[in-house]
Amino acid sequence: DTEVTQTPKHLVMGMTNKKSLKCEQHMGHRAMYWYKQKAKKPPELMFVYSYEKLSINESVPSRFSPECPNSSLLNLHLHALQPEDSALYLCASRQGSGKPGANVLTFGAGSRLTVL
Amino acid sequence: GNSVTQMEGPVTLSEEAFLTINCTYTATGYPSLFWYVQYPGEGLQLLLKATKADDKGSNKGFEATYRKETTSFHLEKGSVQVSDSAVYFCALSDTYGNNRLAFGKGNQVVVIP
């Protein structure tokens, strides 16, 4: 298995809803990432988990809450979002540091979020 | 800090034409360099990479050479197809800690039949 799987592919939610995005990989990767991508822009880093611990939070608003239940799963919990949070949310993973290919990120296909 | 600069604007060309997308970088240490491709409605896919100076990455007819003297990693393909229409991102990764990726702004490539 060489994929990062993201669900759902599309999500529409109101500003008062609570929803979650899910990311899964079975490549034994030990670092997992959330990126946000607006149309015609490069991805922007949001969070990094390394060995299931949060190692980077790029000053993301608290209405986005990441969770890493185990080394294969990464969630992004969404609550009280704003319309400007509408974007493509990309998950990525990579090998642990010191292993071959440790600097290569493998991306999922993304979850397209629309906030009404 | 680390940064990547890609040439401005979309690139439109005819099928079988030669493609070049320029990428230059600023970095400390010895970063790894990447080209990622994003097809419409999809996530990013690694196209090719190079991890040290003078390395040449290649895949699917695309090539890029890590030039430390000019801090460049230009992407080239000798004969493009309609199926190469996508957005191409140049990126670099530092060699420390979390391997943050710094992306260029991306170039939309449109290949006309």
Side-chain angles (χ1 to χ4, degrees):
Chain A
D1 190 347
T2 58
E3 289 186 345
V4 174
T5 303
Q6 290 188 242
T7 54
K9 289 193 182 305
H10 299 277
L11 178 63
V12 179
M13 59 186 291
M15 290 190 285
T16 58
N17 292 158
K18 285 186 179 181
K19 297 286 184 183
S20 297
L21 305 180
K22 180 180 173 181
C23 174
E24 193 166 3
Q25 56 86 16
H26 297 287
M27 296 178 281
H29 288 180
R30 302 311 302 269
M32 296 185 77
Y33 299 66
W34 280 115
Y35 282 86
K36 173 183 178 179
Q37 186 181 27
K38 301 286 271 186
K40 300 187 186 301
K41 298 289 186 183
E44 299 172 5
L45 183 63
M46 299 175 73
F47 302 104
V48 180
Y49 275 82
S50 181
Y51 293 87
E52 298 155 54
K53 294 190 188 308
L54 183 65
S55 58
I56 293 178
N57 175 344
E58 293 283 49
S59 302
V60 179
S62 60
R63 58 185 184 269
F64 295 91
S65 175
E67 179 196 20
C68 189
N70 60 57
S71 60
S72 300
L73 283 176
L74 184 67
N75 298 320
L76 186 63
H77 303 298
L78 314 170
H79 175 53
L81 295 193
Q82 304 297 311
E84 58 265 28
D85 296 321
S86 298
L88 181 67
Y89 288 84
L90 293 165
C91 176
S93 68
R94 65 169 178 83
Q95 288 282 7
S97 297
K99 295 193 175 183
N103 61 358
V104 177
L105 288 188
T106 300
F107 283 84
S111 293
R112 188 162 298 281
L113 173 67
T114 302
V115 182
L116 302 177
Chain B
N2 296 341
S3 67
V4 175
T5 301
Q6 287 182 239
M7 51 195 278
E8 291 288 333
V11 178
T12 303
L13 58 170
S14 300
E15 204 166 20
E16 298 184 3
F18 186 87
L19 171 69
T20 298
I21 305 177
N22 290 340
C23 171
T24 56
Y25 68 91
T26 302
T28 55
Y30 303 95
S32 295
L33 300 173
F34 307 87
W35 278 100
Y36 280 88
V37 58
Q38 188 171 30
Y39 297 102
E42 298 186 11
L44 274 70
Q45 298 176 25
L46 178 67
L47 182 58
L48 52 85
K49 68 170 185 174
T51 57
K52 61 183 187 296
D54 300 324
D55 266 2
K56 177 186 281 188
S58 60
N59 186 25
K60 299 181 181 178
F62 290 90
E63 292 184 341
T65 301
Y66 190 148
R67 301 282 189 204
K68 195 167 176 63
E69 63 276 15
T70 55
T71 62
S72 65
F73 192 56
H74 305 322
L75 182 68
E76 297 182 336
K77 185 174 185 181
S79 177
V80 293
Q81 305 300 311
V82 172
S83 57
D84 294 323
S85 298
V87 180
Y88 292 81
F89 292 98
C90 184
L92 73 80
S93 170
D94 63 42
T95 53
Y96 312 106
N98 289 294
N99 292 110
R100 290 169 181 264
L101 271 183
F103 285 97
K105 291 185 176 181
N107 286 103
Q108 173 84 53
V109 172
V110 177
V111 180
I112 300 170

